[in-house]
Amino acid sequence: MPVTAGDSTMMSWAQERMLRDRKNRPARIVPILKKFTPLVEDMPVFPCNAENVHDTFWDHALPGDSWGVLNRGTPVSEGDTTTVTDTCANIAREASIDQRILKKSSNPAHTKMVRSKRFFMSIAQQQERNFFLGNRNTTPDGVHGLAPRYGTIAGNPFSNQIVDGGGTGTDNASIWLVGWGEEGVHGIYPESSDEVGITHTPRGVNAKTDATGRFWTEDDSYGLDTGLAVANPGAVVRICNIDRSLLNFAATGTSANLLRLLRTAYHRATGFAAIGDLKWCIYLDGQIFEFLDHHAQEANTNTFLSYRESGPNQPLMLTYREMRVRKADMLRPDEARVV
C-alpha cells in the first residue's frame, strides 16, 4: 500500500521507495541514518503548503458568546488567529574518495558505503541538533528548532508548556515531550519534492590537484531538505533547568526529582489530547537517560516508568505512562537557566 503524507515518516518513505526500486539510493541510506537518531522513526513529514514555506495557523481565541433571538440580529464575531511561517533548510555534504582506494577493493560499492557513513552520521546529527536547538535568529539558513520557541518563561504566551526544574546555574539540561502528528509537531519538506530523507547524487570521477600533482577521485553529493512545524504549541512540553550536579542515584532530598517533573509535564501534555491523535515521545540526553534507567529498575517504588518489549530481536523500550523515552545525543550541551 503506497505511503501517503498523512502516515509517512522518513523511514516509511524509505521503505516505500525500496519496494518500488531496490537499487534506489535513499532507501539504503535512511536505515543507516536510523542508527544515529530516533527522529527518522518518530517524526511524520508533510509537504510545505507554499513550495519551500509552510504556514501554520494557530486559533487561540474562539468567537465571543452571543444569543440568537427571533427578529433580532446576532453580533458578528471572529476568533483570534496567528500565522506562523516556517521554512525548509538544506543540509549538504560533499564526499570524495581517491579512485585508487576503490580499485584496490574487492567490493568497491561496499567500501564506498562504509566510508560514506561518516557523512550520514554528520547529517543525522545536524538534523537532530537543529530540531531541538536550531535558531534562525542566529543562523538564518538553518532550521528553527524547539528551544527558541520555548526559550523563555516570563512573557511567553505558552509558558504553561514549560516546567521549571529549579536549576539556577549554567550546567542545566532539558527533557522534551513531543506530540507528533499533523495537528501537533511534524517535519516539512519542499512541496514540489518527491525526495524525503537523504538524497544522493553521483558526481562521477573528477581530477583533483594538490601541491604534489594530480589525482582522481570519485565524488558524491548528499543532501537533506528538512524543516520543522509546530501546528499546536500545546503539543510540546519542555522540562528545563534540570541541574546536572544534582543527578545522583541515591534517593536523597537534594537529588533532582525527575519523576515529579515528568508527572507535571505529562499532565500538561495530556491536556491537549483533544487536538488529534498524537504520538507522544520523550527526548533526553544520555546522562538523563541513565538516571531514569536506574529508577526504572526500582519496580517497588515506581509503576509508571518501566521497560517493555519493542518487538522480536529488538532491545527493551523505556516508557513513561505509555510515552516512549528516547535518547537524543545532540541534547547533551549544558544549558543556561531558562527564565
Side-chain angles (χ1 to χ4, degrees), residues 12-299:
S12 61
W13 273 92
Q15 291 169 344
E16 168 69 5
R17 294 173 66 84
M18 184 180 293
L19 291 175
R20 293 202 305 265
D21 182 0
R22 290 187 176 275
K23 293 182 179 180
N24 186 278
R25 192 68 66 171
R28 296 181 61 200
I29 294 173
V30 174
I32 295 176
L33 185 62
K34 172 186 172 183
K35 299 177 182 178
F36 306 135
T37 172
L39 298 185
V40 177
E41 282 189 296
D42 298 340
M43 181 170 62
V45 288
F46 296 87
C48 292
N49 48 30
E51 188 46 41
N52 201 48
V53 175
H54 188 79
D55 290 327
T56 301
F57 304 96
W58 289 348
D59 248 343
H60 48 81
L62 298 176
D65 295 342
S66 61
W67 297 99
V69 180
L70 293 177
N71 298 317
R72 184 185 302 174
T74 301
V76 177
S77 61
E78 295 183 359
D80 192 359
T81 303
T82 298
T83 302
V84 178
T85 300
D86 290 294
T87 59
C88 289
N90 179 259
I91 301 175
R93 298 290 186 273
E94 297 295 328
S96 185
I97 301 176
D98 193 316
Q99 194 180 33
R100 290 166 293 189
I101 296 176
L102 298 177
K103 287 184 176 181
K104 292 179 180 179
S105 173
S106 59
N107 189 340
H110 176 73
T111 299
K112 188 175 179 181
M113 178 63 69
V114 170
R115 290 177 61 89
S116 296
K117 278 188 177 182
R118 68 191 68 177
F119 295 96
F120 310 152
M121 179 181 291
S122 176
I123 290 175
Q125 289 181 352
Q126 184 173 345
Q127 183 193 34
E128 181 179 288
R129 179 171 57 252
N130 282 271
F131 170 80
F132 291 107
L133 307 176
N135 191 334
R136 286 182 61 87
N137 296 322
T138 57
T139 309
D141 294 332
V143 172
H144 202 56
L146 294 181
R149 303 178 198 231
Y150 300 84
T152 61
I153 299 176
N156 189 336
F158 311 116
S159 60
N160 189 60
Q161 299 308 110
I162 304 174
V163 179
D164 191 346
T168 58
T170 58
D171 63 340
N172 300 312
S174 287
I175 296 175
W176 294 90
L177 281 67
V178 179
W180 297 110
E182 187 173 12
E183 297 183 355
V185 182
H186 60 85
I188 54 176
Y189 63 93
E191 183 181 26
S192 61
S193 175
D194 62 353
E195 299 282 358
V196 177
I198 294 180
T199 59
H200 167 239
T201 305
R203 298 301 185 185
V205 178
N206 299 282
K208 300 290 172 59
T209 303
D210 62 12
T212 60
R214 180 190 300 173
F215 63 102
W216 297 85
T217 62
E218 188 166 324
D219 301 337
D220 297 89
S221 298
Y222 299 98
L224 175 64
D225 289 316
T226 185
L228 172 68
V230 180
N232 190 309
V236 176
V237 182
R238 179 183 188 179
I239 305 174
C240 62
N241 300 336
I242 300 172
D243 192 336
R244 294 185 186 276
S245 66
L246 295 182
L247 294 175
N248 61 74
F249 297 119
T252 65
T254 59
S255 177
N257 195 332
L258 295 188
L259 295 181
R260 177 181 58 80
L261 294 172
L262 281 172
R263 182 180 65 228
T264 301
Y266 170 81
H267 286 289
R268 296 190 187 182
T270 54
F272 287 84
I275 67 173
D277 185 16
L278 302 183
K279 172 188 174 183
W280 286 92
C281 292
I282 300 173
Y283 299 92
L284 36 78
D285 65 50
Q287 183 186 15
I288 310 296
F289 191 95
E290 182 182 0
F291 191 74
L292 288 181
D293 175 62
H294 169 76
H295 287 290
Q297 299 178 46
E298 298 179 345

Side-chain angles (χ1 to χ4, degrees), residues 259 263 301-306 308 319-323:
L259 295 181
R263 182 180 65 228
T301 58
N302 168 52
T303 57
F304 294 116
L305 186 69
S306 60
R308 62 180 59 187
T319 63
Y320 177 76
R321 297 186 184 226
E322 307 301 322
M323 297 181 179

